[in-house]
Amino acid sequence: MGVLRKIHDAIRSKALGCEELTRSVIDQIAQKNSEVNAFIDVFEARAIQMAKAQDEALANGAELPVGAGIPVGIKDNMCIDGELVTCASNILKGYRSPYTSTAVGQIMAAGFIPVGRTNMDEFAMGSSNEHSVYGPVSNPWNKSLVSGGSSGGSAAAVAAGLVPLTLGSDTGGSIRQPASFCGVVGLKPTYGRVSRYGLVAFASSLDQIGPFAQYVDDAALILESLCGFDPYDSTSENRSVEPFSANLAVDSLKGKRIGVPNQLMSQTIAPDVRESISEALKRFESLGASIDYFDFDLVDEALATYYIIAPAEVSSNLSRFDGVRYGNRNTAANSLKEMIQTTRQQGFGDEVKRRIILGTYVLSSGYYDAYYGKAQKVRAVVSETYANLFKSYDFICSPTAPTTAFEKGANLNDPMQMYLSDIATIPVNLAGLPAMSFPCGLDSSGAPIGCQLVGGWFKERELLQAAHAFERAMEFQPKYSFEGVL
Ligand code: GLN
């Protein structure tokens, strides 16, 4: 059972107050966060005030909302009115949100309490959380390892037991890959399921907000509040939100067909990871599912396509950070041009600059058709391929990442190696599909391994059910759990 229901039982029976819980979470962050650097800020005043209001409402006989008193860490790229939001970048240091993002607003309306901002790779570009002005995040399982990224702070905060839930964003794997590295559950919803309004844009056609949790049913519970139509996001899907957390426990996975891409179980995948996924597949089989391998030739093309489309969108989205419209300005400049140049030079880190340069290049008039136009065509083929695959399979299963968490610094000077970390997650974003990563074992050094399950469009419920069945059968032991705080 997840922690949320336990917290609710405790609150309902008056064994625990919302304010008491919030204070102990804030204390715990103060004591333990420096070991992992997952939180970069705590919304103390806001959190305590929200908790007090909930205690008061409960005392007056109000119904307990689904998120009552539950502390949630929020990735530093989602706006909350009046709070800092910096995308872990110098260019936004000190910037306060003028409004609240729909996703965070919705979870707050359901009672969840945002307790602080979590660390991330600058503007969500990266796979190790080492590109952050706040410094790297350490993996709670082994502090010399990276947490994964870009939502490394959100993954590590849950893995370290600091909070039961966090929100992250996933453009090419940034929820699933750090979830895999930190041994927690991470879910990227179908593109359009969760509003992007108030999420600082990285690559708008790929970005999606989703939850991290230690248990599948906790992720299901918050997902119900996150999803929904939003007129402020033109790509938001207008469809009803199923009660993901109800009927989560299915007796068996009988009749479910799981496809496994050969290319993601090949020699390029670390042996420990491959072995663990093979065992996970056996477990799915013993739960009643059937397993079938297929060729997924597009894996390499998908990675290349992502690194054309995402930077192209970056070059456009990040042009607003010019010292005029948003963020910090170099006031020492002598002309407008110099001001814009130096503001951006000083404000952005190397990885962000690399993406802007790549993106500007692929969109430039001489190269647009050769790169951007072609990438869009490949993207359409990736989506079609998945559409056909889901005629034969209910889920596609693979490792979430080709390796477990690597040593800090190991890939910092090798962007290509860093990009390869997302080889299994990126195709999913290109097609806009929902996918989850959940822990399925440890490698020989004791670092967590993540299993990725991809579902058809809007099949979050089925995904959660399958992951839940796996979780119950596997009984993966978290390193630190949030329960200690209760
Ligand atoms: N690691 C990938 C990148 O650097 C994905 C990032 C993300 O999903 N935000 O682009």
Side-chain angles (χ1 to χ4, degrees):
M1 175 162 93
V3 243
L4 265 60
R5 292 182 204 273
K6 286 184 196 157
I7 297 176
H8 273 188
D9 289 347
I11 292 177
R12 212 178 273 121
S13 67
K14 306 246 168 12
L16 183 70
C18 297
E19 186 185 347
E20 183 191 354
L21 175 63
T22 306
R23 286 196 190 278
S24 58
V25 166
I26 292 172
D27 282 353
Q28 186 176 233
I29 295 173
Q31 278 166 33
K32 299 189 192 148
N33 182 57
S34 61
E35 287 171 36
V36 282
N37 198 24
F39 276 96
I40 51 184
D41 189 11
V42 172
F43 308 142
E44 182 158 355
R46 169 186 298 269
I48 300 286
Q49 189 211 335
M50 278 187 76
K52 277 186 172 161
Q54 291 187 4
D55 281 334
E56 223 172 272
L58 290 171
N60 293 332
E63 188 78 20
L64 204 66
V66 53
I70 310 288
V72 186
I74 311 290
K75 186 175 180 178
D76 190 24
N77 61 354
M78 293 171 217
C79 295
I80 305 178
D81 192 13
E83 303 291 353
L84 293 167
V85 60
T86 76
C87 294
S89 180
N90 266 325
I91 210 153
L92 280 175
K93 239 185 176 171
Y95 182 78
R96 286 191 187 272
S97 303
Y99 67 97
T100 298
S101 54
T102 301
V104 178
Q106 282 182 192
I107 64 158
M108 288 201 289
F112 292 97
I113 302 181
V115 288
R117 290 183 292 144
T118 55
N119 206 342
M120 59 185 281
D121 280 300
E122 186 178 1
F123 281 100
M125 298 169 204
S127 307
S128 66
N129 214 130
E130 293 170 293
H131 304 300
S132 161
V133 285
Y134 303 102
V137 174
S138 300
N139 191 311
W141 289 76
N142 175 346
K143 311 272 161 34
S144 68
L145 303 179
V146 300
S147 57
S150 66
S151 314
S154 294
V158 170
L162 297 175
V163 277
L165 283 171
T166 52
L167 296 187
S169 61
D170 191 313
T171 305
S174 278
I175 292 176
R176 291 159 288 156
Q177 186 258 21
S180 163
F181 280 16
C182 290
V184 297
V185 174
L187 188 153
K188 180 200 98 71
T190 309
Y191 184 78
R193 261 287 196 201
V194 178
S195 168
R196 291 180 296 106
Y197 181 69
L199 167 71
V200 181
F202 163 5
S204 312
S205 75
L206 301 156
D207 300 340
Q208 195 63 193
I209 293 172
F212 288 90
Q214 233 152 16
Y215 303 99
V216 174
D217 60 344
D218 290 343
L221 272 166
I222 195 167
L223 191 66
E224 287 169 16
S225 308
L226 272 178
C227 295
F229 175 65
D230 180 9
Y232 290 115
D233 172 358
S234 62
T235 59
S236 171
E237 288 280 340
N238 195 354
R239 57 194 294 144
S240 60
V241 179
E242 299 120 277
F244 302 114
S245 64
N247 308 320
L248 201 56
V250 289
D251 291 335
S252 92
L253 296 178
K254 215 171 165 48
K256 297 290 180 204
R257 300 153 304 167
I258 298 181
V260 184
N262 288 318
Q263 282 74 359
L264 293 175
M265 285 296 270
S266 68
Q267 301 300 322
T268 51
I269 308 295
D272 283 3
V273 174
R274 232 182 310 143
E275 203 172 296
S276 178
I277 299 300
S278 299
E279 273 169 33
L281 292 168
K282 280 190 205 132
R283 204 178 286 280
F284 275 122
E285 252 178 336
S286 65
L287 286 163
S290 62
I291 310 291
D292 183 31
Y293 288 77
F294 65 91
D295 270 325
F296 192 50
D297 298 319
L298 286 165
V299 168
D300 291 342
E301 283 80 358
L303 189 76
T305 300
Y306 172 87
Y307 277 100
I308 291 170
I309 292 175
E313 294 187 28
V314 164
S315 82
S316 158
N317 275 330
L318 270 60
S319 64
R320 68 184 60 139
F321 303 105
D322 55 5
V324 179
R325 287 170 289 180
Y326 290 94
N328 296 321
R329 171 184 307 173
N330 174 16
T331 48
N334 294 314
S335 66
L336 178 65
K337 187 172 168 202
E338 190 189 320
M339 186 282 286
I340 294 175
Q341 278 173 344
T342 51
T343 293
R344 287 166 69 82
Q345 242 157 37
Q346 292 160 8
F348 292 134
D350 287 350
E351 185 58 32
V352 173
K353 285 180 189 155
R354 182 163 23 240
R355 308 281 178 116
I356 294 173
I357 292 168
L358 270 173
T360 308
Y361 179 78
V362 300
L363 289 177
S364 57
S365 58
Y367 297 101
Y368 185 96
D369 290 337
Y371 292 108
Y372 188 71
K374 199 159 179 189
Q376 292 292 19
K377 287 183 189 148
V378 177
R379 183 176 188 175
V381 175
V382 171
S383 290
E384 266 167 46
T385 306
Y386 273 117
N388 282 327
L389 285 168
F390 283 112
K391 287 178 189 153
S392 313
Y393 305 119
D394 297 286
F395 307 110
I396 293 167
C397 184
S398 73
T400 306
T403 64
T404 51
F406 40 84
E407 291 284 332
K408 281 182 200 155
N411 292 338
L412 252 187
N413 298 320
D414 188 350
M416 196 57 206
Q417 201 54 40
M418 195 73 101
Y419 296 171
L420 281 167
S421 198
D422 298 304
I423 188 105
T425 49
I426 273 174
V428 177
N429 297 74
L430 290 176
L433 292 160
M436 285 183 78
S437 178
F438 43 86
C440 64
L442 302 176
D443 71 6
S444 53
S445 72
I449 298 169
C451 178
Q452 173 174 253
L453 212 53
V454 185
W457 289 276
F458 299 99
K459 299 283 190 199
E460 282 85 355
R461 186 193 175 97
E462 287 78 356
L463 263 183
L464 285 158
Q465 284 174 334
H468 187 258
F470 183 90
E471 178 184 73
R472 280 198 303 172
M474 162 92 204
E475 292 190 9
F476 178 82
Q477 291 305 315
K479 177 135 175 141
Y480 304 98
S481 82
F482 180 75
E483 268 104 327
V485 180
L486 298 183

